[in-house]
Amino acid sequence: MAVLVLGDQLHPEYGPAADADRVVMVEATAFARRRAYHPHKLTLVFAAMRQFRDRLRESGTAVDYYECETFADGFDAHFETYPGDDLVVMESPSYGTSDRLSSLVKQRGGTLEVVENGLFLSTREQWDAYAGDPPYRHENFYRMMRRETGYLMADGDPVGGEWNYDDENQQFPGEGYETPDPPRYEMDETTREVWEWATELDGSYDTDPPGPEWADPEPFFWPTTREQALDALDSFVDERLAEFGPYQDAMLDDDWSLNHALLSGAINVGLLHPGEVIEAVIEGAREQPDAPLNSVEGFTRQLLGWREFMRHTYREGMPELASANQLDATEDLPAAFWTGETDMRCLSDVVDGVRERGYSHHIERLMILSNFALVYGVEPAQLNEWFHAGYVDAYHWVTTPNVVEMGSFGQGIFATKPYASSANYVNKMSDYCGDCDYYHTKTTGDGACPFNTLYWEFLDRNEDRLGDNHRMGLVYSHLDNKDDEERAAIRERASEVRSMAESMEL
Ligand code: FAD
């Protein structure tokens, strides 16, 4: 029996690989050409796999590592050497992957046992016992997970008396606010080899844009080894945790990382287990009198609550979720998402960050990128493709619920209203609007901020679908206050904005 380790299962202590004598890994590079993946993403995944292989070999585990085009090629080679081999693998969180692997193995005369994925904090059984029918409620799920794990609990009650301190976590820092530089990891020979391959990749892309040339990557710096990932975790706990909470929703033009953990890439490939991350945060906070509970609880909620919730809602929503589009949004993704070329300072800065590092933080993803796509009317699946290609932490199981459901209100499986917002939010939570060429106070006419125009036009366009949503009563009452002339001016300006976006003059 050998253990098949997938590229997002690279933890030395969880799952069947922890005490395996023989491990099988397949580095299937055809994946790299299926989307215009960012070179940082490709480097992170393939370098982390090679580093994991080397680590296992150093510790005495035999590893058969196949560098090939597809999984089918890898299994062809494997079963030639080990006819009838029996494999075991942790279940992949992405839809259909485990079934596809099982049938590839079976076709070649082997067997594949699929076991629970130990790199998550909740099981299917826990979810099934909790979930009921959609729309699923995150807050209830999160409380159940706090009780089940005992994280931030004291005698059955939440530490501090409240479950959620989110209302303390929407502050904007004062002028001159500075944050510590995030850690950057030097590439060793193994990682550099992958980086050179990823940045020089050419070949037959079946994508538009054709390959990762859209990106403008800085030298690669993300953690690819267990040691680096643990160091990145320590750096977050020691240097940024205390101020993570209050400013987690803020956006600053000259500070891309703020106090964010920057750990999602490492967690999603399995270099870190979410449980050990939460425990390090809770433990670290005990030693830091200045680490407020709102920071610790806010972080725990993201990882224990949202990340697990996304994985289960994805399972429940698939396969329909991938193409869900209840608002019938049909616009193409504007080219500015690939080029960053737009006079909208917020959009341009956030897209440039993705082009450079394959990263932006949660509020930039939700309230700049997907908010823009939502009010513009972009087809959710196209936006999902873009996120999937662009981010170091993107996998189908995690982008799809975040982008299609949370960002685009695609299905209504857990979102109860769209996250649509005007420039008011961007102005309140960022320093972008002050120096922007667009006026954040204007909705119609020349220079009006596209966020304002498109927000009102989105409400107008979707009145039949959203007008009786009780959570949107207030905003629709504001729309009702606009007379026909104003609504016509909004539609006219929205049409101009779309023409500008199409001709790359946004
Ligand atoms: P921090 O905020 O510092 O840390 C919180 C941790 O909690 C993250 O490391 C992450 O592991 C986890 N987390 C928080 N929220 C979520 C969430 N909604 N879903 C899953 N994990 C969460 N996260 C991904 O891991 N991959 C994606 O492809 C992805 N796409 C997103 C797309 C959109 C439109 C939105 C709104 C969110 C997306 N997220 C995604 C969630 C979240 O934005 C990122 O996990 C987070 O920004 C990662 O950066 P960080 O480690 O610095 O996060």
Side-chain angles (χ1 to χ4, degrees), residues 201-218:
L201 246 187
D202 55 4
S204 48
Y205 291 95
D206 189 20
T207 56
D208 179 19
E213 293 84 7
W214 63 274
D216 180 20
E218 301 181 353

Side-chain angles (χ1 to χ4, degrees), residues 51-324:
Q51 301 279 6
F52 188 68
R53 169 200 64 193
D54 295 348
R55 175 194 187 94
L56 289 177
R57 282 182 180 157
E58 275 161 28
S59 67
T61 307
V63 184
D64 292 296
Y65 192 92
Y66 301 97
E67 288 177 36
C68 47
E69 277 290 298
T70 64
F71 263 86
D73 297 341
F75 288 144
D76 281 345
H78 181 73
F79 287 102
E80 209 173 294
T81 317
Y82 300 89
D85 203 12
D86 297 318
L87 302 177
V88 59
V89 69
M90 285 200 285
E91 184 180 26
S92 166
S94 285
Y95 181 78
T97 300
S98 300
D99 289 345
R100 276 197 298 280
L101 291 173
S102 293
S103 87
L104 286 174
V105 168
K106 202 169 156 201
Q107 283 159 15
R108 285 156 184 80
T111 66
L112 181 66
E113 184 190 352
V114 179
V115 298
E116 177 96 44
N117 191 324
L119 293 171
F120 289 90
L121 288 161
S122 57
T123 61
R124 252 171 211 253
E125 289 69 33
Q126 280 173 311
W127 170 266
D128 289 343
Y130 142 84
D133 294 324
Y136 303 114
R137 293 274 174 269
H138 172 261
E139 188 63 25
N140 301 346
F141 173 76
Y142 169 55
R143 292 181 189 190
M144 185 271 283
M145 288 300 295
R146 291 268 296 272
R147 288 197 186 92
E148 290 278 320
T149 58
Y151 291 144
L152 295 178
M153 297 296 289
D155 300 328
D157 290 319
V159 168
E162 304 288 336
W163 290 100
N164 186 320
Y165 294 87
D166 211 23
D167 54 356
E168 295 172 35
N169 285 356
Q170 289 149 24
Q171 301 174 40
F172 190 73
E175 201 150 321
Y177 181 69
E178 285 187 12
T179 57
D181 286 338
R184 288 173 178 263
Y185 298 95
E186 289 267 318
M187 287 183 264
D188 66 4
E189 212 179 302
T190 305
T191 300
R192 182 168 295 283
E193 196 180 303
V194 181
W195 169 244
E196 281 165 7
W197 165 80
T199 44
E200 284 161 18
L201 246 187
D202 55 4
S204 48
Y205 291 95
D206 189 20
T207 56
D208 179 19
E213 293 84 7
W214 63 274
D216 180 20
E218 301 181 353
F220 180 83
F221 61 87
W222 297 97
T224 56
T225 66
R226 169 88 175 140
E227 289 68 27
Q228 290 171 348
L230 286 169
D231 181 77
L233 172 58
D234 283 349
S235 130
F236 169 61
V237 172
D238 295 344
E239 295 167 22
R240 303 195 299 284
L241 171 65
E243 296 192 10
F244 166 82
Y247 306 128
Q248 67 172 293
D249 287 1
M251 298 175 273
L252 295 181
D253 184 31
D254 64 357
D255 188 339
W256 65 272
S257 49
L258 278 138
N259 300 300
H260 287 277
L262 315 179
L263 293 175
S264 49
I267 297 170
N268 290 354
V269 292
L271 288 177
L272 294 172
H273 189 281
E276 70 185 333
V277 174
I278 294 173
E279 283 160 29
V281 162
I282 293 174
E283 196 54 40
R286 274 198 202 110
E287 290 157 19
Q288 294 177 48
D290 58 342
L293 184 55
N294 54 305
S295 283
V296 180
E297 187 282 316
F299 185 81
T300 303
R301 177 153 29 89
Q302 307 295 328
L303 206 47
L304 178 65
W306 279 110
R307 185 170 184 271
E308 299 288 320
F309 185 77
M310 288 304 184
R311 172 199 173 212
H312 291 296
T313 53
Y314 167 81
R315 256 193 321 103
E316 296 282 1
M318 284 297 288
E320 294 80 8
L321 183 62
S323 55

Side-chain angles (χ1 to χ4, degrees), residues 7-8 36-46 48 195 214-215 217-224 256 261-271 353-361 365 386-399:
D8 57 359
Y37 285 118
H38 196 290
H40 280 219
K41 164 73 179 292
L42 294 175
T43 305
L44 171 57
V45 175
F46 290 126
W195 169 244
W214 63 274
E218 301 181 353
F220 180 83
F221 61 87
W222 297 97
T224 56
W256 65 272
L262 315 179
L263 293 175
S264 49
I267 297 170
N268 290 354
V269 292
L271 288 177
V354 179
R355 294 173 62 236
E356 286 160 24
R357 293 172 286 272
Y359 176 88
S360 56
H361 72 65
R365 299 186 203 204
W386 180 84
F387 270 99
H388 198 152
Y391 279 80
V392 287
D393 54 21
Y395 299 87
H396 199 252
W397 72 267
V398 62
T399 56

Side-chain angles (χ1 to χ4, degrees), residues 19-33:
D19 45 18
D21 296 326
R22 188 159 58 88
V23 159
V24 177
M25 297 177 77
V26 180
E27 186 184 302
T29 46
F31 275 117
R33 292 191 171 81

